[in-house]
């Protein structure tokens, strides 16, 4: 089975722009979670989608949003980018209690 | 107090050593405990998964959970340079709840 895929792998944006990241889960997995990883804060939960519905949400501002499509693929969007949004954004595909991560999208905001 | 505490290291050991990595937590409702390994510029890779208290062994890796002390450990026997990575502990409640991660311990195994 193919693993979790994320696109793009690298992005450079400037402050004020918006960005959309994409994630395709492992085939058959219906739950997708998004995390932000920074050296200072570690891995922080953004949100989880299951069957096209947001099931959990972390403590991030409304500039961070996501959605899930009927084929379980998910996108997350960050609007009005800030310098502090520079991070590795990880998507995880969930089966029961275990999560499997993709390689991440590294976002640099200048 | 953070929900999950993990010493960031770095931890440097010689090849062949036994490595002990640890996390403490404050939420007694956590029931599922995981260890992930993350190489530089890669996503975390699931290493070990344990439900509730006890030990679990997989090759050179042993995971231990002590719920009474709110303490989990990962032991690596006969460590190899290829084990050099950041190790993240993660845990969660039952049901549709998110994983809570430690900040990770950076391990270097020197040949």
């Amino acid at each position: 089975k193919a693993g979790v895929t994320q696109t793009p792998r690298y992005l450079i944006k400037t402050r004020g722009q918006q960005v959309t990241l994409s994630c395709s889960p492992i085939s058959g997995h219906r739950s997708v979670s998004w995390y932000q990883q920074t050296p200072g804060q570690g891995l922080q939960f953004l949100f989880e989608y299951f069957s096209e519905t947001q099931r959990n949400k972390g403590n991030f501002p409304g500039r961070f949003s996501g959605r899930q499509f009927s084929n379980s693929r998910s996108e997350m969007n960050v609007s009005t980018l800030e310098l502090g949004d520079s991070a590795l954004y990880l998507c995880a595909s969930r089966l029961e209690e275990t999560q499997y991560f993709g390689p991440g999208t590294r976002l640099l905001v200048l | 107090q953070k929900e999950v505490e993990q010493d960031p290291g770095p931890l440097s050991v010689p090849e062949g050593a036994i490595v002990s990595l640890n996390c403490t937590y404050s939420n007694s409702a956590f029931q599922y405990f995981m260890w992930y390994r993350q190489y530089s510029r890669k996503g975390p890779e699931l290493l070990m998964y344990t439900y509730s208290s006890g030990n679990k062994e997989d090759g050179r890796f042993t995971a231990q959970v002590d719920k009474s002390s709110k303490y989990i450990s990962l032991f690596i026997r006969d460590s190899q340079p290829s084990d050099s990575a950041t190790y993240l502990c993660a845990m969660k409640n039952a049901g549709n709840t998110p994983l809570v991660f430690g900040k990770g311990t950076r391990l270097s195994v020197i040949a």
Side-chain angles (χ1 to χ4, degrees):
Chain A
K1 259 187 187 177
V4 179
T5 58
Q6 291 188 245
T7 56
R9 295 293 310 279
Y10 303 94
L11 264 180
I12 299 176
K13 293 285 188 178
T14 56
R15 276 181 300 174
Q17 287 188 307
Q18 66 105 26
V19 67
T20 299
L21 313 181
S22 181
C23 169
S24 291
I26 294 170
S27 177
H29 292 195
R30 294 162 61 193
S31 166
V32 172
S33 295
W34 289 89
Y35 294 82
Q36 181 195 66
Q37 187 176 33
T38 59
Q41 298 299 318
L43 265 153
Q44 292 187 287
F45 173 72
L46 281 156
F47 29 66
E48 178 192 8
Y49 285 86
F50 178 82
S51 292
E52 303 179 65
T53 301
Q54 188 179 86
R55 186 156 69 175
N56 283 300
K57 188 177 190 309
N59 190 25
F60 277 81
R63 299 185 298 107
F64 293 82
S65 63
R67 60 177 175 167
Q68 187 179 33
F69 302 95
S70 58
N71 62 357
S72 294
R73 190 177 70 84
S74 178
E75 289 181 346
M76 68 162 282
N77 183 276
V78 188
S79 62
T80 321
L81 284 165
E82 301 178 358
L83 296 179
D85 297 333
S86 294
L88 180 67
Y89 290 88
L90 291 158
C91 165
S93 168
R94 176 181 163 183
L95 181 64
E96 296 179 348
E97 301 298 344
T98 53
Q99 294 192 18
Y100 303 90
F101 283 85
T105 295
R106 189 164 296 276
L107 172 65
L108 177 61
V109 182
L110 301 175
Chain B
Q1 181 190 11
K2 282 198 169 289
E3 269 195 301
V4 180
E5 300 273 8
Q6 184 177 9
D7 187 336
L11 180 62
S12 185
V13 301
E15 183 175 358
I18 296 175
V19 176
S20 173
L21 304 167
N22 311 293
C23 288
T24 59
Y25 62 95
S26 57
N27 187 345
S28 57
F30 287 146
Q31 293 188 33
Y32 299 89
F33 304 90
M34 288 139 227
W35 285 95
Y36 285 84
R37 177 175 62 194
Q38 186 174 24
Y39 291 113
S40 181
R41 300 199 172 276
K42 303 282 188 183
E45 169 196 10
L46 181 64
L47 266 181
M48 301 287 283
Y49 162 68
T50 310
Y51 169 68
S52 194
S53 283
N55 293 0
K56 185 174 184 177
E57 188 173 321
D58 184 2
R60 296 184 296 111
F61 299 90
T62 299
Q64 286 185 352
V65 175
D66 182 349
K67 289 190 72 179
S68 61
S69 302
K70 298 192 184 68
Y71 188 88
I72 71 170
S73 301
L74 177 70
F75 298 95
I76 307 174
R77 289 183 299 282
D78 187 25
S79 55
Q80 303 295 310
S82 58
D83 295 328
S84 298
T86 296
Y87 289 80
L88 299 146
C89 64
M91 47 200 79
K92 68 184 297 292
N93 299 353
N96 299 318
T97 57
L99 278 176
V100 180
F101 282 85
K103 285 196 175 181
T105 299
R106 185 181 297 177
L107 171 67
S108 292
V109 180
I110 311 301

